[in-house]
Amino acid sequence: MHRWSAYPFVRYVTALSIGIIVCLYKKDNFSLALILTGVSGGSFLVTALFQRKGSFGRLVSGLSGLIFLAGLGWLVTYRHTASNDPTNLTHSQQPIRAYEGVVNTQAEQREKTFRLEVSVRRVRTDSSWQTASGTVLVYLDKNVAQKPRYGDVWLIRGSPKAVDPPRNPGQFNYKRFLAHRQIYHQQYVRPADRQVIGYAPASRLTALAFTVNAWADSVFTHHVGTGQEFAIVKAMILGVRDSIDPELQQAYSAAGAVHVLSVSGLHVGVLFAALTFLLGFLKNHDKGRYVFFALMLGLLWFYALMTGFSAPVLRSAFMFSLILLGQVLNRKHTMINTLAASAFLILLIDPFAITTAGFQLSYLAVGGLTLWQRPLYQSLRFENYWVDSLWKITSVALVAQLATFPLSVYYFHQFPTYFWLANPLVIPLSSLVLILAMALLAVSWIPLLSMLLGMGVYAAMWALNQSILLTEKLPYSVLKGLVLTPLELALLSALLLSLIVLLTERKKAWLWGALGCGSFLMASVSWTHQAQNRQRLTIVHAVPRNTVVAQVRGRSATIFSEKPLTVGSKEFSFNLQGTYDSLGVPVEAITFIRLSLPSH
């Protein structure tokens, strides 16, 4: 039985998150947030100072503190919303002819362009140069002499365009996604429309991080090559996914191993375990735990530096730093409280992190593993060491997948059927790749040893890719077109939570909860399914440089288009896939017909 009083940061981060979410929908009520925070903060101080021994005083003090944190979340989110700045591009009243800005990200390579973000410093209107702010998502034609670098100061001709909202029902809301990253404008820039006029990185530390990232990239290129093995290593270790073949990326998704394709908390956990194993002997010596703490902290944050301070790595680095601090101070800690404390710190620094699927899924996965992996693993015992080890890895995959299952389906509309088969291979192989790759970087200056480690990284990476590709080829490897409404998401989450707690706590009340949630969920899905069978729709789609009209009859559709359109095309995936997922039309039930329209 869990004593929630032992997890204060769970309460704190919940209150902070409520304030952040309220601000996302009530951005204009800054004065209300300020009053709420001031009154609750004053109430907390008064009750904490003068009524510490009374139960009513403690209740008022506790509630006041939580309301204060909610108000703080509201204020922090308001402060981080770029559009609230009166100089932001969203408030520009005059046409922009040119602007000056600083590159604030690494350049991501696309097929024909470099994709990067530029922080605006000033704009040129018809009358004069004016101070301005905002971030523009720039697509720079690759026909340039040198790859753009972080910190370059650009003078750009032309006017940024506001990001378009979704134009088709069910389409991914790219405008909202970018707005949560404080990006409201984008622009395609030709080389002749851009001039590099200086170098002024916003953060010297971030510039150093990208330099280290580029050095590590060169080491991997030299020892692993430039094929798909290198592409996956680059994504895993450095957080750069621009070299991955789309078919291989889909294979990882189908195998339930897409988490491998980016730096994540799993990688930090593996690195933490490996370093603890190598350096753990230091804790046996007098004052050795301080040396252990310093080395571990330095190596963890060097890894974060090498990844360009990737958000998932920062979250995990914060969490493991808190664990290390507790160890060196001889303080007992619980993983759930430490996890909540790291989330609290992250949200104070970047409240919009709560809107990202990566943040939500990673904390659900780690929280689920912390609470339920051990009980599930201990529910079955095997005498054979190898069978027991296989069950231990499988239990990790099962709990992580179940904890994230509802939200994954809600966001991505698919479910990997054979995740339980792939992950017992994927987890140890990806961990081996990580350890060998980090060792390769550490000894890259030793020719023979680095060559051997490079061969080991390539071999382990090849084996990992082959296991993924074999899993994808199995029949029904991925279930697609799965759609949940917000109500069904809540019901499915409550159902899984009830079942998990029922298995661990063995209390009948959770059985009734599971039955109730399951019944409502089945009723909602049945109602939706019947409505989809009766639907009769004619849809005129908005697809760039194409004319597309569709006839929907029940759970099947016929799509007429002027230019060729297929299920696997980018045009269909980005513009139309969401529409047919939301209508319950599987891709197998879509017929494409090309039309020959008269020319004007």
Side-chain angles (χ1 to χ4, degrees):
M1 186 68 185
H2 297 287
R3 292 171 51 252
W4 291 109
S5 60
Y7 311 124
F9 270 99
V10 173
R11 301 192 298 275
Y12 303 161
V13 77
T14 301
L16 188 73
S17 300
I18 290 172
I20 292 171
I21 293 168
V22 168
C23 184
L24 293 177
Y25 294 96
K26 299 288 184 182
K27 294 180 181 179
D28 298 329
N29 292 342
F30 177 75
S31 56
L32 175 61
L34 201 59
I35 293 170
L36 183 69
T37 307
V39 171
S40 59
S43 174
F44 173 78
L45 289 175
V46 169
T47 53
L49 289 173
F50 299 106
Q51 298 189 34
R52 280 183 283 181
K53 295 183 179 180
S55 58
F56 177 76
R58 287 196 299 269
L59 176 63
V60 173
S61 177
L63 288 176
S64 298
L66 294 178
I67 294 172
F68 172 78
L69 289 175
L72 179 63
W74 193 335
L75 293 176
V76 169
T77 308
Y78 185 92
R79 176 68 179 81
H80 279 76
T81 303
S83 59
N84 291 327
D85 186 339
T87 66
N88 190 269
L89 292 176
T90 54
H91 304 296
S92 178
Q93 299 296 319
Q94 301 181 47
I96 297 172
R97 304 305 180 190
Y99 60 96
E100 179 186 300
V102 182
V103 177
N104 65 10
T105 58
Q106 275 185 308
E108 178 185 337
Q109 295 196 51
R110 297 295 182 93
E111 185 178 353
K112 298 180 180 179
T113 61
F114 290 112
R115 181 178 181 270
L116 43 87
E117 297 171 16
V118 174
S119 294
V120 177
R121 302 202 298 195
R122 58 184 185 142
V123 298
R124 173 72 185 185
T125 64
D126 289 331
S127 57
S128 63
W129 282 98
Q130 299 176 5
T131 300
S133 65
T135 301
V136 179
L137 186 64
V138 170
Y139 296 88
L140 175 67
D141 192 297
K142 290 181 79 170
N143 188 25
V144 291
Q146 186 177 7
K147 182 179 178 180
R149 59 174 178 167
Y150 173 83
D152 281 342
V153 182
W154 287 4
L155 185 62
I156 302 174
R157 181 168 54 193
S159 177
K161 294 176 59 178
V163 179
D164 292 329
R167 297 179 180 270
N168 297 284
Q171 184 178 347
F172 174 66
N173 195 332
Y174 193 55
K175 180 183 178 72
R176 183 175 60 194
F177 170 77
L178 289 179
H180 286 159
R181 293 173 54 188
Q182 312 314 307
I183 300 173
Y184 311 105
H185 297 82
Q186 60 184 353
Q187 183 181 1
Y188 173 78
V189 177
R190 293 182 175 86
D193 295 329
R194 176 210 65 149
Q195 182 180 355
V196 181
I197 60 174
Y199 180 71
S203 167
R204 291 288 177 180
L205 184 60
T206 303
L208 174 62
F210 288 142
T211 301
V212 173
N213 187 282
W215 163 76
D217 186 303
S218 67
V219 172
F220 292 140
T221 302
H222 178 72
H223 290 283
V224 184
T226 57
Q228 287 306 296
E229 287 74 21
F230 161 75
I232 303 298
V233 170
K234 185 178 177 181
M236 283 180 58
I237 312 299
L238 305 180
V240 181
R241 301 170 62 168
D242 55 12
S243 302
I244 302 176
D245 185 75
E247 287 75 19
L248 184 58
Q249 183 165 332
Q250 175 56 36
Y252 271 83
S253 179
V258 73
H259 56 83
V260 171
L261 299 183
S262 59
V263 289
S264 66
L266 172 65
H267 300 150
V268 181
V270 169
L271 182 63
F272 183 84
L275 292 174
T276 300
F277 175 77
L278 292 173
L279 303 175
F281 70 93
L282 292 171
K283 293 188 289 185
N284 299 326
H285 299 277
D286 186 36
K287 305 295 183 180
R289 70 175 186 271
Y290 298 106
V291 178
F292 175 80
F293 171 76
L295 285 175
M296 289 288 290
L297 206 62
L299 291 169
L300 280 177
W301 283 99
F302 177 77
Y303 178 63
L305 177 79
M306 190 179 67
T307 65
F309 293 120
S310 165
V313 172
L314 279 179
R315 290 194 292 267
S316 300
F318 269 121
M319 182 179 70
F320 286 112
S321 296
L322 291 175
I323 292 173
L324 286 169
L325 184 61
Q327 289 177 351
V328 78
L329 296 176
N330 286 324
R331 298 289 182 88
K332 291 184 178 180
H333 68 88
T334 59
M335 277 298 296
I336 286 294
N337 196 54
T338 303
L339 188 68
S342 69
F344 186 86
L345 291 173
I346 289 291
L347 292 178
L348 276 181
I349 296 170
D350 178 17
F352 283 91
I354 200 173
T355 66
T356 64
F359 179 91
Q360 297 166 18
L361 292 171
S362 63
Y363 274 100
L364 279 174
V366 178
L369 290 171
T370 302
L371 289 172
W372 299 306
Q373 187 272 331
R374 183 179 292 273
L376 178 62
Y377 167 64
Q378 293 177 342
S379 65
L380 293 175
R381 295 298 183 95
F382 298 96
E383 296 297 329
N384 184 279
Y385 172 79
W386 296 108
V387 175
D388 186 67
S389 299
L390 179 63
W391 166 236
K392 188 173 186 177
I393 295 175
T394 304
S395 68
V396 170
L398 284 170
V399 171
Q401 200 72 47
L402 284 174
T404 58
F405 167 64
L407 207 58
S408 295
V409 171
Y410 183 74
Y411 281 135
F412 307 118
H413 311 309
Q414 65 180 29
F415 179 71
T417 312
Y418 299 109
F419 72 89
W420 54 272
L421 182 63
N423 276 283
L425 286 174
V426 167
I427 292 175
L429 280 174
S430 61
S431 300
L432 178 62
V433 169
L434 174 65
I435 293 170
L436 291 176
M438 295 302 293
L440 171 61
L441 293 176
V443 301
S444 59
W445 52 279
I446 305 176
L448 180 59
L449 187 54
S450 62
M451 182 187 70
L452 292 174
L453 283 171
M455 293 171 60
V457 170
Y458 182 91
M461 196 66 257
W462 180 87
L464 177 59
N465 282 346
Q466 293 306 307
S467 66
I468 292 294
L469 292 170
L470 287 173
T471 304
E472 188 207 17
K473 291 178 181 178
L474 295 174
Y476 306 105
S477 60
V478 59
L479 302 178
K480 296 183 177 181
L482 305 177
V483 178
L484 293 174
T485 65
L487 173 61
E488 289 166 354
L489 170 65
L491 289 171
L492 180 58
S493 301
L495 172 61
L496 288 176
L497 180 63
S498 298
L499 290 174
I500 291 172
V501 178
L502 174 64
L503 291 174
T504 55
E505 302 291 343
R506 309 286 183 177
K507 291 188 175 181
K508 190 178 292 185
W510 292 103
L511 173 61
W512 294 114
L515 289 173
C517 292
S519 299
F520 281 115
L521 179 61
M522 290 179 62
S524 178
V525 171
S526 298
W527 179 270
T528 301
H529 191 82
Q530 290 177 15
Q532 290 170 348
N533 286 334
R534 296 192 300 267
Q535 64 193 355
R536 299 289 185 271
L537 302 170
T538 299
I539 305 174
V540 180
H541 285 292
V543 178
R545 297 176 295 278
N546 200 355
T547 301
V548 181
V549 180
Q551 291 282 345
V552 178
R553 295 294 181 265
R555 294 166 62 83
S556 63
T558 303
I559 298 179
F560 305 90
S561 63
E562 181 183 4
K563 296 180 181 179
L565 199 61
T566 62
V567 168
S569 64
K570 292 182 180 178
E571 291 82 3
F572 179 84
S573 299
F574 184 78
N575 295 289
L576 308 182
Q577 181 78 61
T579 299
Y580 295 97
D581 284 346
S582 64
L583 295 174
V585 178
V587 292
E588 297 83 5
I590 299 177
T591 302
F592 294 92
I593 298 177
R594 186 178 177 186
L595 297 178
S596 296
L597 299 180
S599 58
H600 297 285

